[in-house]
Amino acid sequence: MAGKTMRRVQEGEVPLDGGTAVQDDPGRPVFRGNGENDYLCVECGNLLASGMNPEHMGKRVRIRCGRCRTVNIAAEVPVEMARRRL
Ligand SMILES: [Zn+2]
């Protein structure tokens, strides 16, 4: 299985609906699936999601690391700053 490092959600980045999943136990990934990738915290390398496919880790999926409290998002998701409001 491939390990993918996520990226830090930047300050001012638009909050998208879907919310942030909080990892309560640093020893357990928040999401577990049968996909191809493991997703790792950008800051401390902790395993946040296991067995996920890229299509499941879109811009609505954010994970707060249970070890270092960094909010992570998949690195493939482009940074979208909150400059327009609906
Ligand atoms: Zn971390």
Side-chain angles (χ1 to χ4, degrees), residues 41 43-44 46 65 67-68 70:
C41 175
E43 192 64 34
C44 70
N46 197 24
C65 177
R67 187 184 286 168
C68 71
T70 299

Side-chain angles (χ1 to χ4, degrees), residues 2-80:
K4 280 181 164 292
T5 301
M6 300 181 81
R7 70 169 173 82
R8 182 189 295 270
V9 171
Q10 305 205 0
E11 198 156 339
E13 198 171 346
V14 63
L16 294 153
D17 48 332
T20 302
V22 178
Q23 184 183 37
D24 295 319
D25 181 351
R28 277 189 186 175
V30 177
F31 301 119
R32 231 177 232 286
N34 298 309
E36 60 193 50
N37 298 319
D38 282 342
Y39 286 84
L40 311 173
C41 175
V42 62
E43 192 64 34
C44 70
N46 197 24
L47 177 61
L48 300 178
S50 174
M52 301 300 287
N53 285 317
E55 61 264 33
H56 296 138
M57 299 296 287
K59 59 186 176 183
R60 285 196 168 84
V61 181
R62 295 169 177 219
I63 306 173
R64 183 187 292 272
C65 177
R67 187 184 286 168
C68 71
R69 304 285 159 201
T70 299
V71 180
N72 288 261
I73 191 167
E76 289 83 359
V77 176
V79 177
E80 261 185 85

